[in-house]
Amino acid sequence: MVSLFIAGTDTDVGKTVVTALLTAYFHKKGEKVIPYKPVQSGALEVEGKLVAPDIQIYKQALPELNEKAINTYLLKKASSPHLAAREENIHIYPSVIIEHIKLLEKEHDIVLVEGAGGLIVPLSDDGYSIIHLIKDANIPVLLVARAGLGTINHTILSVMAMREAGIKVAGIIMNRVTKGDQLIEQDNRKMIEKITNIPVFGVVPYIENVEKLFQDDDLLNEILSSLQLKEIRI
Ligand SMILES: Nc1ncnc2c1ncn2[C@@H]1O[C@H](COP(=O)(O)OP(=O)(O)OP(=O)(O)O)[C@@H](O)[C@H]1O
Ligand SMILES: C[C@H](N)[C@H](N)CCCCCC(=O)O
Ligand SMILES: [Mg+2]
């Protein structure tokens, strides 16, 4: 039915953790939700097989996920997808990804599409990037941003780029990937909301052991209830 693109201000900001949290949230609400990682670079080798690291986290939130249905391009090099694809003589076709999103939309209430890195991350040598894919797929964005020092610039630049591209930004979720100065983090949230006029739905706390998060229902429910996810309008 509907899709939400989980974009980030950078790589390693927590798009996967937020996608998995949203998967758990919508599943608990009884929605038929599916996360989709169209392009995964930095594939992991597990028992001689290449697997997508992000999907391993999704499966902690929703164990019954079929990996083949939620990843289209699986690339070895832990780099920008355009380089990883070039290294393997693979071409990433946006049309293939968009078609797959439409197929998933037919079978689910909500599709959560995770990007790769930040917004201006090329998928091919011609510079076609994640932001172009979002525009062509015509999907609203939930932007994931670090909570700490440096995020004001990254987040507002990302919002400016999406606005210039005519992309709808549904909201922002900030993420404590590190334990930083709380005064800075609280002020970051206020300044970002004030300057962008986009709601920050909440701040994901620093999680001591992400691997165990989805087995700890109390912690999971505590984090989910601390985020104003009911405010997300798709
Ligand atoms: N709130 C948090 N507390 C502690 N660690 C976190 C938190 N959020 C993310 N991490 C850790 O930070 C790293 C990067 O997170 P994640 O993989 O979600 O980033 P990403 O934006 O999806 O990266 P990519 O661009 O590779 O997809 C991971 O090791 C993850 O476990
Ligand atoms: C390998 C990494 N974990 C991501 N999958 C891809 C990040 C691409 C970042 C490109 C860039 O901004 O320089
Ligand atoms: Mg990720």
Side-chain angles (χ1 to χ4, degrees), residues 11 40-41 78-81 117 121:
T11 186
Q40 172 80 72
S41 59
S79 68
S80 176
V121 169

Side-chain angles (χ1 to χ4, degrees), residues 10-17 37 54 114-117 175-177 204-208 210-211:
D10 192 0
T11 186
D12 281 347
V13 294
K15 296 186 298 295
T16 297
V17 167
K37 178 80 176 183
D54 291 8
E114 181 185 344
N175 184 28
R176 297 197 80 210
V177 272
V204 176
Y206 181 79
I207 302 161
E208 291 300 336
V210 171
E211 303 300 306

Side-chain angles (χ1 to χ4, degrees), residues 3-173:
S3 291
L4 183 65
F5 200 101
I6 313 299
T9 55
D10 192 0
T11 186
D12 281 347
V13 294
K15 296 186 298 295
T16 297
V17 167
V18 168
T19 301
L21 284 170
L22 290 173
T23 299
Y25 169 73
F26 286 115
H27 183 66
K28 282 171 182 277
K29 274 182 65 189
E31 306 269 2
K32 209 169 167 222
V33 57
I34 190 159
Y36 171 43
K37 178 80 176 183
V39 181
Q40 172 80 72
S41 59
L44 289 179
E45 191 162 325
V46 177
E47 290 154 21
K49 226 168 55 80
L50 283 185
V51 295
D54 291 8
I55 291 175
Q56 308 321 304
I57 306 295
Y58 299 166
K59 286 179 71 172
Q60 289 173 21
L62 204 49
E64 63 264 30
L65 285 170
N66 164 9
E67 293 195 33
K68 291 219 174 344
I70 59 174
N71 168 240
T72 304
Y73 294 98
L74 183 56
L75 304 165
K76 293 189 187 96
K77 194 173 181 57
S79 68
S80 176
H82 80 281
L83 175 59
R86 189 199 308 154
E87 291 284 286
E88 295 183 52
N89 247 335
I90 289 170
H91 187 81
I92 294 172
Y93 292 95
S95 57
V96 170
I97 295 171
I98 293 169
E99 274 320 301
H100 193 66
I101 291 170
K102 291 201 173 79
L103 179 78
L104 294 175
E105 285 181 341
K106 286 199 182 87
E107 299 163 353
H108 299 86
D109 298 321
I110 181 160
V111 182
L112 302 170
V113 187
E114 181 185 344
L119 287 161
I120 320 296
V121 169
L123 299 175
S124 43
D125 285 335
D126 60 4
Y128 185 96
S129 297
I130 290 285
I131 195 166
H132 302 113
L133 176 66
I134 297 170
K135 178 70 181 168
D136 291 343
N138 191 22
I139 297 177
V141 165
L142 179 82
L143 182 65
V144 179
R146 292 184 182 93
L149 186 63
T151 199
I152 295 176
N153 174 55
H154 294 161
T155 307
I156 295 171
L157 281 172
S158 298
V159 167
M160 286 167 68
M162 288 188 281
R163 281 188 168 142
E164 192 187 319
I167 292 168
K168 179 176 178 271
V169 187
I172 296 165
I173 285 186

